[in-house]
Amino acid sequence: MDQHIAEAVGRPDLVRLDERLVCLRFETMKAVSALAAVRHLLDTGAVRRGDTLLDSSSGIYAYALALACHRYGMRCHIVGSTTVDRTLGVQLAVLGATLERMEPCSDLKLDQKRRVARIHEILAEHPEYHWMRQYHDDVHYLGYRAVADRIREEVGDGPLTLVGGVGSGASTGALAARLRAGAGAGGGADVELVGVQPYGSVTFGAEHVGDPEIIIAGIGSSIPFGNVAHELYDTLHWISFDAALAGGVDLLRRHAVFAGLSTGAGYLAARHERGRAPDRTVVFVAADTGHRYVDSVYARHREAARVGDLAPREVTGTDELSLPWSRMRWNRRPDPRGSRGGQA
């Protein structure tokens, strides 16, 4: 029996959509990383019960950190994006978290930079606060080990392709690293990692291509993230808002899975990768439910393109990227900007 609701909402479901396509479906994926990170910080003495944990979030991590703080008796301060909706804001307030909303901003790139700047201001005023650094600290990798072990138990030992949003790198990077290690089975497992990015994200060099709709919150970045291990990724897909919308609507219509916009993008990429490699099982990550996207995505279901009519443009360099969907082999190359800024 779970000792706290955070443990339940962070436990994923593995849903087989067809013979070779599996959905790793979370209610709130980052609860996994937040719980493990806070537990590790307490165990190592980096923080103590009653301390204030601080971070910036576009939504999912705010809820996850608030749950982890509630679980372990910590205080929580969130600098929230303009994408934090009323429902989440009310939950954070009742959980005892402090939500500091940024002023409305139509440019999510600028919003992200402003949030980080505000974090530094708060730390100058309150140096005793602990900045969780979800975008830079590898402590957020820890919680996904058990998830990777469960994937291997459920799916088996055959060739596997994992597809999911890159974001901070913690979820897909951690899952792939653990799966490749063989989870105690001798290592050397055949695991391909496919990262999904929005246009405009700097992480793999797409900042020069804008999406007129939105930079998909949670899987892209307007600033370099220190805990993205570029050398873990085999293939990348850049997917526009419209294409991700089509994927999300098709996933709900065809398989009854109600998930967020990034999942719609991952589902598109996963379908394509399954078609390219008939000998591999493809698992894609569904990081959250679709409730935040009812108005912006699902209410527009009649506008959605048929996923069968969509296909990526194959490119060999980021200078060739174009909307609505591009695919490129990354081949586990390191970050072209140099070494990562994460903490092992």
Side-chain angles (χ1 to χ4, degrees):
M1 182 180 297
D2 293 320
Q3 301 303 307
H4 192 274
I5 188 63
E7 297 158 7
V9 300
R11 185 182 304 108
D13 302 306
L14 277 162
V15 183
R16 188 175 291 279
L17 304 187
D18 63 29
E19 184 179 355
R20 293 186 298 106
L21 186 62
V22 176
C23 177
L24 180 68
R25 185 247 181 213
F26 291 86
E27 182 176 339
T28 302
M29 180 185 71
K30 290 187 177 180
V32 174
S33 59
L35 275 175
V38 174
R39 180 71 263 170
H40 177 77
L41 292 171
L42 284 166
D43 289 345
T44 57
V47 299
R48 296 177 297 178
R49 289 181 183 271
D51 285 354
T52 298
L53 305 184
L54 167 71
D55 216 337
S56 162
S57 174
S58 60
I60 298 177
Y61 187 78
Y63 181 51
L65 186 58
L67 287 174
C69 287
H70 189 277
R71 169 71 174 86
Y72 290 118
M74 316 290 289
R75 293 184 175 88
C76 180
H77 189 117
I78 298 292
V79 178
S81 167
T82 56
T83 58
V84 175
D85 60 21
R86 180 176 179 274
T87 300
L88 176 56
V90 170
Q91 289 182 80
L92 293 176
V94 176
L95 285 168
T98 300
L99 172 63
E100 186 174 334
R101 289 180 181 273
M102 301 303 296
E103 291 296 319
C105 176
S106 59
D107 184 346
L108 288 183
K109 294 182 182 181
L110 178 60
D111 174 72
Q112 193 171 55
K113 292 177 181 178
R114 287 166 56 194
R115 282 187 278 134
V116 174
R118 179 57 187 150
I119 290 286
H120 287 289
E121 292 175 355
I122 294 171
L123 288 172
E125 299 167 8
H126 297 280
E128 74 277 12
Y129 286 8
H130 181 88
W131 182 15
M132 292 297 295
R133 302 176 77 244
Q134 65 151 322
Y135 302 131
H136 303 291
D137 195 333
D138 291 353
V139 71
H140 293 92
Y141 276 52
L142 298 175
Y144 295 103
R145 291 175 178 175
V147 177
D149 293 348
R150 184 170 169 222
I151 291 172
R152 186 53 78 190
E153 290 171 5
E154 297 281 347
V155 174
D157 295 327
L160 179 67
T161 298
L162 178 68
V163 180
V166 177
S168 68
S171 58
T172 47
L175 289 171
R178 180 72 169 181
L179 287 164
R180 286 172 182 164
D190 181 0
V191 177
E192 291 264 319
L193 179 56
V194 178
V196 178
Q197 284 269 274
Y199 291 95
S201 175
V202 307
T203 307
F204 286 91
E207 61 270 26
H208 61 291
V209 183
D211 187 332
E213 285 274 8
I214 192 173
I215 180 171
I216 303 173
I219 67 170
S221 175
S222 64
I223 58 176
F225 283 173
N227 59 4
V228 176
H230 292 69
E231 63 274 13
L232 292 174
Y233 293 85
D234 296 284
T235 301
L236 295 169
H237 287 251
W238 288 268
I239 295 179
S240 71
F241 175 91
D242 290 338
L245 182 151
V249 169
D250 189 82
L251 179 61
L252 178 57
R253 180 178 289 138
R254 190 186 303 262
H255 299 291
V257 177
F258 184 48
L261 186 62
S262 66
T263 302
Y267 169 67
L268 268 189
R271 281 172 50 94
H272 182 79
E273 295 300 324
R274 179 195 57 180
R276 295 178 64 95
D279 61 327
R280 307 181 70 85
T281 297
V282 180
V283 176
F284 70 96
V285 178
D288 62 349
T289 67
H291 295 89
R292 289 200 299 160
Y293 303 92
V294 169
D295 293 329
S296 61
V297 174
Y298 291 100
R300 299 169 57 181
H301 62 92
R302 291 182 180 85
E303 304 172 26
R306 286 168 37 89
V307 294
D309 296 336
L310 299 174
R313 177 189 181 192
E314 296 289 336
V315 302
T316 58
T318 55
D319 58 327
E320 302 172 20
L321 295 177
S322 63
L323 276 68
W325 184 3
S326 298
R327 177 185 185 273
M328 185 176 81
R329 288 290 295 175
W330 185 257
N331 295 320
R332 307 190 188 184
R333 300 198 303 273
D335 183 352
R337 294 186 306 268
S339 61
R340 297 194 296 135
Q343 301 174 21

